[in-house]
Amino acid sequence: DIQMTQSPSSVSASVGDRVTITCRASQGISSWLAWYQQKPGNAPKLLIHTASNLQSGVPSRFSGSGSGTHFTLTISSLQPEDFATYYCQQAHSFPITFGQGTRLEIK
Amino acid sequence: QVQLVESGGGVVQPGRSLRLSCAASGFSFSSHSMHWVRQAPGKGLEWVAVMPYDGSNKYYADSVKGRFTISRDTATDTLFLEMNSLRTEDTAVYYCAREWNVAAAIDAFDIWGQGTLVTIS
């Protein structure tokens, strides 16, 4: 199975900050990586697919990059509604696996 | 409106069975692979099973293989998860989710249901 490791596990930041979350795969997955945002009590929301493609309706302050085993999600200027938990997911092979999550908290 | 609505969750004793349903609407159900993903209380996301768009090879997480069965009814656009020999560690919110890419073998999930809580106790 492909292991997905996110870092950091949690981060504190302020409105307007730039934040980067990293996801590493235990083996190469090309660009088959997605990022999700989840708020308490809600289902996850797809932000980015295929490593860098912004899902329709997602603000342009979100961006993704990387390929192979190293990927990043960047939020260019944090907004109050961005404080949530973020997950990466590999879509290269079964079983599909998720990172453990990164909790983004208000400083 | 594209929508997924899960039902069937509840409290059951260990060793018993439960069947979850996911009613799809607003899109071509048979053109998208469909998945079940679960989340234990306070924990992260765990993929459970996939129903390919063509109904071919289904895959399961090792943690549920041999106990859970994914199926669908294309006449009613409903996805199912039959869960047998339930364990306390199966306690979670169960989400059904749609792959965004039509006729893809595996990809990201763009539509999620609201989830249904399964408690094994």
Side-chain angles (χ1 to χ4, degrees):
Chain A
D1 298 1
I2 299 174
Q3 308 301 318
M4 307 301 293
T5 304
Q6 288 181 234
S7 61
S9 295
S10 65
V11 57
S12 295
S14 302
V15 172
D17 284 353
R18 179 185 181 92
V19 170
T20 296
I21 298 169
T22 296
C23 180
R24 292 186 184 272
S26 61
Q27 63 189 73
I29 59 170
S30 185
S31 296
W32 296 108
L33 185 102
W35 290 98
Y36 300 87
Q37 176 194 68
Q38 187 179 32
K39 297 181 180 179
N42 290 345
K45 173 187 175 182
L46 178 62
L47 299 175
I48 287 169
H49 63 83
T50 337
S52 60
N53 291 280
L54 199 65
Q55 179 67 1
S56 176
V58 174
S60 59
R61 62 181 180 273
F62 291 91
S63 64
S65 66
S67 67
T69 62
H70 184 231
F71 303 86
T72 59
L73 171 70
T74 298
I75 310 172
S76 60
S77 179
L78 276 172
Q79 298 303 300
E81 60 269 29
D82 299 337
F83 292 95
T85 299
Y86 293 84
Y87 294 93
C88 62
Q89 172 230 327
Q90 64 85 9
H92 176 269
S93 57
F94 291 111
I96 290 171
T97 46
F98 291 88
Q100 81 278 14
T102 295
R103 185 174 178 181
L104 177 52
E105 300 174 318
I106 301 174
K107 183 183 286 184
Chain B
Q1 180 185 0
V2 176
Q3 195 174 9
L4 298 172
V5 179
E6 301 98 335
S7 60
V11 180
V12 296
Q13 295 177 330
R16 302 298 290 266
S17 300
L18 202 60
R19 188 194 202 198
L20 306 182
S21 300
C22 170
S25 59
F27 66 97
S28 176
F29 181 66
S30 299
S31 297
H32 293 262
S33 295
M34 298 292 297
H35 299 252
W36 288 99
V37 177
R38 68 183 181 182
Q39 187 169 35
K43 302 298 184 182
L45 301 169
E46 180 187 16
W47 174 80
V48 173
V50 59
M51 169 60 73
Y53 70 96
D54 60 2
S56 59
N57 298 321
K58 305 161 196 173
Y59 291 92
Y60 298 89
D62 285 346
S63 58
V64 307
K65 200 174 297 181
R67 300 188 299 123
F68 290 12
T69 302
I70 191 170
S71 63
R72 69 180 180 179
D73 182 343
T74 55
T76 61
D77 290 354
T78 305
L79 182 72
F80 301 102
L81 187 68
E82 185 75 38
M83 305 185 295
N84 298 319
S85 303
L86 284 161
R87 306 168 179 168
T88 55
E89 56 264 37
D90 295 319
T91 294
V93 173
Y94 285 73
Y95 297 101
C96 64
R98 183 189 86 165
E99 274 191 22
W100 78 271
N101 197 0
V102 172
I106 177 174
D107 214 316
F109 311 143
D110 66 335
I111 305 296
W112 297 65
Q114 84 287 355
T116 187
L117 177 61
V118 173
T119 303
I120 311 303
S121 177

